[in-house]
Amino acid sequence: MTKWVYIFGEGVTDGDATMRNLLGGKGANLAEMARLGLPVPPGFTITTEVCTRFYEDNQQYPEELKGQILAALEAIGKLTGRTFGDAAHPLLLSVRSGARVSMPGMMDTVLNLGLNDEAVAALARESNDERFAYDSYRRFIQMYSDVVLGVDGDFFEEIIEDYKDENDLDLDTDLSAEDWKAVIVSFKAKTAEETGEPFPEDPMEQLWGAVGAVFGSWMLPRAKTYRRLHELPEDWGTAVNVQAMVFGNMGEGSATGVAFSRNPSTGENALYGEFLVNAQGEDVVAGIRTPQDLTEAARIQAGSDKPSLEALMPEVFGEFKDACIKLESHYRDMQDMEFTVERGKLWMLQTRNGKRTLKAALKIAVDLAEQGLISKEEAVKRIDPASLDQLLHPTIAPDAELDELAVGLPASPGAACGEIVFNSDEAEAAKADGRNIILVRVETSPEDIHGMHASEGILTSRGGMTSHAAVVARGMGKPCVAGAGTVRVDMRGETMVADGRSFKKGDLITIDGGSGKVYAGRVQMQQPELSGDFQRLMQWADGVRRLRVRANAETPADVKTALSFGAEGIGLCRTEHMFFDGDRITSVREMILADTLQERRVALDKLLPMQRGDFVEIFDLMEDLPVTIRLLDPPLHEFLPKTDAEIAEVATGMGVDPEDLRERAEELHEFNPMLGNRGCRLLISYPEVAEMQARAIFEAAVEVSRAKGKAVHPEIMVPLVGLKAELDTVKARIEAMAEAVEAETGEKLEFTIGTMIELPRAALLSDDIAQSAEFFSFGTNDLTQTTFGISRDDAGSFLGTYQEKGLLEKDPFVSLDSDGVGALVQMAAEKGRSVRPALKLGICGEHGGDPASIAFCEKTGLDYVSCSPFRVPVARLAAAQAMLAGADSGTL
Ligand code: ADP
Ligand code: MG
Ligand code: MG
């Protein structure tokens, strides 16, 4: 026979905390508390399986359920010395819902169930408090009618208000037993009128009604919505907890309250909570009366003149404090508890692991580990890596005054304030003048990189979470609100309209990339604080992880940020970003549009010293940490001049006719630049470019190693290789250049040459390619594009639908598609190492900062991940957790 009902109470407890799936969170923890010997009113839990069964079985209860409930009621009766439905010593019950995870939208608790005209008289006699008894009875009718019978709760509040008016009474507490009796008559009449049936007097009917309502609430639209939003499966079902009542409203010696074993917003190790004297149920959180502090310390700090529980009921307080300590060390985590005091006796009604802010989470994890309650590894496991993002950017101050203008997508976290500017050149100029800028555009393109760099934050009116603005901003660690559709941007008129108000160039706004909100004016902010606890936990994570963490960085500012966040190298230094800076773009355009080798060399000669300077700066900052430099990669069209002014500028620089130049630019036009002349193809079409870049790298290496007296080891990476021959062709140029620089300087160069694996062909033939490559870096952005055949820039219009319809679980550009793209990565890693066992393997796509993708990299045995500087701490923690998860599952 299936066991559908589990009893808890002194000496009779069936369940325990491990049975959360079957008993729900609340039920499992009530059982566990009873087992620990804590004072828990006895009761029983109807399992989640009954709920699942109920819905599978055409809303029928399993046959044995009734008998099991009756047996459980009898067991509770024995423990309490009462009988359910008895006229002399009635057992009164609470009926509480409880799914596996706490779930708003489920049925509210019904208290005082079992009361009727007879039982209320017994309650009055037994408590020697008639007023209390009738107050409890009216509360029951009110709750039951509302929650179970669906009668609007406002009716009852109206009846009470009318009664008070007619009888010249002010507060609920002014109502006597006789008053409540009169109110009860009106309550029952109202319920009968609304439901067409008399209020149920039979306790058994009341119980089945409440149990049915809990199961019914599992399928209410609000519960369904919550499950959909939080991806909780329907077949989990909810449990029902039926428990003997204890009364916090039995006069001045009674109370009810809620508590956290530590402060949930700061993490401070001090009992924290509130209570109310002579109150029941949710009175504390309902806000009708102002609750009192639990401890004297909290009372003094709050400057309250209402006594604390510690002062008011020292013995109960002492017992409760001991219970908190016991529960916390038992669950080895901060607890969130509910309790009631009935005439000086403490009762524990609920415990669960408490919700907390990230700041508190860090402090609590570190403190628990230092107290020896949990291991350092456990502390490392308890922090969600993605949540660290919050700590790494300035944020809106909690008490800031806000004038909200619009809401867009929270594309890149952090808050930023500045003057609005509508184009990138102006942003750059304003930055040079020392002004703070928010770049506002309909959308951004690769040519806005310098403007984005110069801005404090970016606001776009169009585009999704993977739009250019969003991806680049995240990479730069700049706050970004994308796709704020209600903001009208007029690029020509240099104005924007939001919330019916018009803003012009130079006006101040603040954006919050964590919430997607846009505010008028300057909003007060707080700076990121890498607190002691945070650093401590990161050190512990570093002690655990195997994967190295590098950063994708090319500007000195990014490199410094990466280092300060603990990057152990640069996994991707994109040289093209250096080409967009300032005047350089003109030289790059001259180089690309050159008709002859001679012309091209002239342009390259202008670029060489700039590139060398960049590398000197980076090598200098990175000391002896590895730096992977990728040779020129992006599609040509990103460099081509577009406007007449741009063409004229380049033409002047080259001394050619603008018309000829325009023709040349048109010749270079490509239909699908993403798959066009880019990456190593460009380096093969224009070998001088590879030579110039190699020379810049080598000369910088010589300069820095001479200055520091120690060798620099650049790793030179050739992008978009599909054929071994491509790599060999470029590699020959690089090696020849190395020989030349060695001959010129008399220094011996130490460097490696490797390749990106970002095309399926490269992955398929990686054993071949590994014969020439000394390292692989998986460029998973392009590898995802080319494996799926989906252009990332165009994916917005359909990938969202795919996710909604469940065709794809996650956006593969955010979280690595481990089945498909991952299979290629894994194969390439294996094949590559089969010919070159020491082959160094890393990943440098957006995925390098995504915890799930990092777990994949750990499993696949890569050497490092490389991510944007601001995600380095996220990656360090995720790498540690991936290592620990592997150890737990026995794969290590
Ligand atoms: P929630 O899931 O909303 O926290 P609970 O089931 O915990 O709902 O019930 C809410 C409140 O009802 C509790 O905090 C407690 O004050 C009161 N309550 C529940 N069960 C009992 C009981 N057996 N005796 C007295 N009060 C109870
Ligand atoms: Mg509630
Ligand atoms: Mg509760």
Side-chain angles (χ1 to χ4, degrees):
M1 190 166 85
T2 316
K3 191 168 167 58
W4 305 110
V5 171
Y6 285 69
I7 301 180
F8 55 87
E10 209 184 322
V12 296
T13 306
D14 296 327
D16 62 47
T18 64
M19 298 165 79
R20 167 179 281 271
N21 292 356
L22 188 64
L23 304 181
K26 202 180 284 171
N29 287 334
L30 282 166
E32 188 79 6
M33 283 200 291
R35 274 184 192 279
L36 287 173
L38 291 170
V40 177
F44 59 88
T45 304
I46 305 172
T47 67
T48 55
E49 277 178 3
V50 175
C51 182
T52 320
R53 239 327 170 78
F54 180 73
Y55 284 108
E56 280 169 4
D57 245 7
N58 213 358
Q59 314 215 359
Q60 298 278 319
Y61 292 118
E63 219 174 287
E64 312 90 339
L65 182 64
K66 192 169 173 202
Q68 293 187 17
I69 288 181
L70 289 175
L73 282 171
E74 204 171 301
I76 303 169
K78 277 213 187 93
L79 286 171
T80 56
R82 311 181 157 273
T83 309
F84 189 58
D86 187 51
H89 298 288
L91 171 65
L92 302 181
L93 300 172
S94 74
V95 177
R96 319 168 66 184
S97 64
R100 282 191 208 185
V101 294
S102 149
M103 222 184 92
M106 295 299 299
M107 193 194 84
D108 286 334
T109 299
V110 174
L111 302 176
N112 313 335
L113 186 136
L115 279 177
N116 53 26
D117 293 345
E118 265 183 351
V120 71
L123 186 62
R125 226 174 21 248
E126 289 191 320
S127 63
N128 204 11
D129 187 343
E130 200 182 17
R131 184 190 179 280
F132 151 76
Y134 284 90
D135 180 31
S136 300
Y137 190 22
R138 68 89 189 172
R139 282 173 185 254
F140 167 60
I141 298 169
Q142 201 171 343
M143 266 186 267
Y144 193 92
S145 300
D146 177 0
V147 170
V148 179
L149 303 176
V151 181
D152 190 343
D154 289 344
F155 286 134
F156 303 105
E157 293 304 332
E158 273 167 32
I159 291 173
I160 297 178
E161 288 313 306
D162 289 349
Y163 186 88
K164 283 192 216 165
D165 288 346
E166 283 159 25
N167 295 278
D168 241 1
L169 299 167
D170 256 350
L171 301 170
D172 283 9
T173 44
D174 297 336
L175 275 72
S176 68
E178 294 311 312
D179 293 324
W180 285 128
K181 282 181 195 170
V183 168
I184 285 165
V185 172
S186 310
F187 274 12
K188 283 189 176 170
K190 187 75 211 174
T191 298
E193 179 190 326
E194 290 295 315
T195 63
E197 300 199 27
F199 185 85
E201 287 273 328
D202 173 19
M204 214 52 186
E205 188 188 339
Q206 294 173 358
L207 181 58
W208 282 108
V211 170
V214 173
F215 289 141
S217 70
W218 183 250
M219 290 296 181
L220 288 179
R222 59 175 196 241
K224 283 188 172 177
T225 307
Y226 185 87
R227 283 200 293 275
R228 186 164 40 84
L229 292 176
H230 293 82
E231 295 174 18
L232 304 176
E234 196 123 284
D235 64 9
W236 273 9
T238 180
V240 184
N241 300 292
V242 178
Q243 188 178 29
M245 278 302 299
V246 290
F247 295 97
N249 53 338
M250 250 190 209
E252 296 301 306
S254 303
T256 184
V258 295
F260 291 88
S261 59
R262 298 180 190 229
N263 187 309
S265 59
T266 65
E268 189 200 350
N269 186 3
L271 188 59
Y272 175 93
E274 298 174 327
F275 75 106
L276 276 176
V277 172
N278 197 9
Q280 187 175 44
E282 312 253 45
D283 291 357
V284 176
V285 284
I288 307 163
R289 284 159 61 193
T290 309
Q292 296 160 238
D293 294 303
L294 281 185
T295 64
E296 268 302 278
R299 183 192 66 77
I300 293 163
Q301 206 186 359
S304 162
D305 54 4
K306 291 195 175 170
S308 64
L309 188 74
E310 189 173 6
L312 205 63
M313 303 181 184
E315 265 170 45
V316 168
F317 177 79
E319 196 190 339
F320 181 64
K321 205 172 162 181
D322 290 345
C324 294
I325 293 168
K326 191 169 190 173
L327 285 171
E328 192 182 86
S329 45
H330 181 70
Y331 285 100
R332 303 181 310 123
D333 201 359
M334 184 260 264
Q335 294 298 295
D336 167 358
M337 295 153 297
E338 297 172 7
F339 67 95
T340 281
V341 181
E342 179 183 304
R343 293 194 167 158
K345 162 106 181 92
L346 174 72
W347 294 99
M348 300 297 294
L349 292 176
Q350 191 171 344
T351 194
R352 60 183 158 197
N353 292 343
K355 293 221 159 55
R356 62 206 78 182
T357 63
L358 173 60
K359 188 176 168 206
L362 286 166
K363 177 158 175 54
I364 291 170
V366 169
D367 285 355
L368 288 175
E370 279 175 351
Q371 274 176 257
L373 268 178
I374 59 174
S375 63
K376 287 176 181 159
E377 288 77 15
E378 178 65 31
V380 165
K381 281 194 222 169
R382 286 198 181 172
I383 305 299
D384 172 14
S387 71
L388 291 180
D389 236 15
Q390 297 168 31
L391 284 187
L392 304 172
H393 300 278
T395 48
I396 302 279
D399 50 356
E401 247 171 73
L402 302 171
D403 177 5
E404 189 177 316
L405 290 176
V407 187
L409 297 170
S412 178
C417 172
E419 298 173 27
I420 53 182
V421 158
F422 296 90
N423 83 61
S424 289
D425 291 342
E426 268 185 62
E428 198 172 41
K431 172 77 174 179
D433 287 349
R435 281 148 54 203
N436 287 339
I437 297 303
I438 302 286
L439 181 65
V440 177
R441 298 192 57 85
V442 174
E443 54 195 352
T444 61
S445 72
E447 278 194 59
D448 289 315
I449 300 278
H450 64 296
M452 296 174 77
H453 250 302
S455 305
E456 303 305 305
I458 299 108
L459 167 64
T460 67
S461 60
R462 201 187 295 156
M465 291 295 281
T466 53
S467 63
H468 179 268
V471 171
V472 174
R474 281 200 292 276
M476 290 178 178
K478 299 246 178 204
C480 173
V481 173
T486 59
V487 176
R488 292 263 154 273
V489 180
D490 175 1
M491 302 292 296
R492 250 174 237 281
E494 299 199 301
T495 55
M496 82 176 201
V497 176
D499 188 37
R501 288 177 270 172
S502 182
F503 294 79
K504 57 184 189 322
K505 187 167 79 181
D507 287 346
L508 274 183
I509 61 167
T510 301
I511 62 169
D512 181 355
S515 67
K517 293 192 172 164
V518 183
Y519 304 102
R522 179 178 301 283
V523 174
Q524 211 198 328
M525 283 185 250
Q526 55 190 19
Q527 286 308 308
E529 191 184 303
L530 302 193
S531 76
D533 297 318
F534 180 59
Q535 244 151 359
R536 206 67 204 272
L537 193 96
M538 291 311 290
Q539 281 164 2
W540 294 347
D542 290 349
V544 165
R545 74 187 152 89
R546 182 195 62 82
L547 268 176
R548 302 287 96 193
V549 176
R550 298 193 189 185
N552 301 344
E554 46 273 337
T555 66
D558 282 352
V559 171
K560 282 182 202 156
T561 308
L563 285 171
S564 75
F565 284 148
E568 296 163 303
I570 290 177
L572 177 62
C573 172
R574 306 177 181 91
T575 49
E576 60 274 11
H577 282 192
M578 300 166 165
F579 282 7
F580 280 107
D581 258 15
D583 301 335
R584 297 180 183 192
I585 184 75
T586 309
S587 307
V588 175
R589 285 174 177 151
E590 289 171 18
M591 183 261 294
I592 286 172
L593 293 168
D595 245 345
T596 64
L597 184 59
Q598 194 48 39
E599 276 175 15
R600 184 162 302 118
R601 288 218 190 275
V602 171
L604 285 168
D605 285 347
K606 290 192 210 166
L607 286 167
L608 175 67
M610 302 188 220
Q611 279 261 275
R612 188 174 53 222
D614 294 331
F615 296 137
V616 165
E617 260 182 303
I618 291 173
F619 293 151
D620 193 44
L621 286 168
M622 291 302 288
E623 302 276 343
D624 41 16
L625 295 174
V627 178
T628 306
I629 297 165
R630 179 176 71 184
L631 301 184
L632 195 64
D633 175 58
L636 267 185
H637 77 112
E638 290 190 15
F639 294 115
L640 294 178
K642 290 180 190 78
T643 63
D644 289 346
E646 282 169 359
I647 289 175
E649 192 180 358
V650 178
T652 314
M654 296 171 72
V656 299
D657 177 13
E659 257 329 292
D660 291 350
L661 197 73
R662 186 190 307 280
E663 254 171 50
R664 173 98 178 107
E666 272 159 22
E667 274 166 35
L668 289 174
H669 169 82
E670 292 178 324
F671 288 103
N672 191 346
M674 200 260 289
L675 300 176
N677 194 2
R678 53 173 292 218
C680 65
R681 301 163 197 166
L682 207 58
L683 302 168
I684 290 165
S685 318
Y686 308 115
E688 315 77 55
V689 176
E691 284 174 357
M692 182 281 283
Q693 292 201 293
R695 176 176 280 281
I697 294 167
F698 292 138
E699 289 180 356
V702 168
E703 188 177 328
V704 174
S705 58
R706 275 182 183 162
K708 298 215 167 184
K710 54 185 172 189
V712 171
H713 308 267
E715 301 171 344
I716 301 173
M717 182 155 76
V718 181
L720 215 73
V721 164
L723 309 160
K724 173 173 177 286
E726 288 173 323
L727 177 60
D728 288 339
T729 306
V730 180
K731 193 176 168 187
R733 295 276 176 167
I734 300 169
E735 283 171 340
M737 184 54 73
E739 272 171 38
V741 173
E742 283 179 340
E744 287 161 25
T745 60
E747 301 279 344
K748 178 97 189 86
L749 290 166
E750 292 176 31
F751 63 95
T752 53
I753 299 175
T755 182
M756 304 269 288
I757 301 288
E758 51 188 335
L759 294 175
R761 191 180 196 284
L764 292 165
L765 292 159
S766 53
D767 43 356
D768 201 18
I769 293 173
Q771 289 170 13
S772 297
E774 288 169 274
F775 62 86
F776 286 171
S777 176
F778 292 98
T780 49
N781 290 349
D782 270 325
L783 191 58
T784 301
Q785 297 203 84
T786 52
T787 301
F788 274 91
I790 289 176
S791 139
R792 178 169 71 175
D793 298 326
D794 301 314
S797 64
F798 55 92
L799 266 193
T801 316
Y802 273 39
Q803 279 174 269
E804 270 163 38
K805 297 202 166 165
L807 272 65
L808 263 179
E809 208 184 309
K810 291 182 192 160
D811 180 341
F813 293 106
V814 174
S815 198
L816 190 80
D817 158 45
S818 52
D819 295 342
V821 180
L824 284 173
V825 172
Q826 194 174 349
M827 182 182 73
E830 278 164 18
K831 283 190 153 193
R833 281 192 171 147
S834 73
V835 286
R836 193 188 285 268
L839 186 72
K840 202 194 274 185
L841 300 172
I843 180 178
C844 64
E846 277 259 303
H847 305 103
D850 169 62
S853 311
I854 292 169
F856 171 84
C857 295
E858 170 58 45
K859 250 204 292 202
T860 312
L862 302 193
D863 296 298
Y864 68 87
V865 297
S866 189
C867 58
S868 67
F870 281 87
R871 292 198 69 87
V872 166
V874 176
R876 285 161 71 193
L877 184 57
Q881 291 186 353
M883 183 80 190
L884 292 170
D888 284 350
S889 69
T891 58
L892 281 165

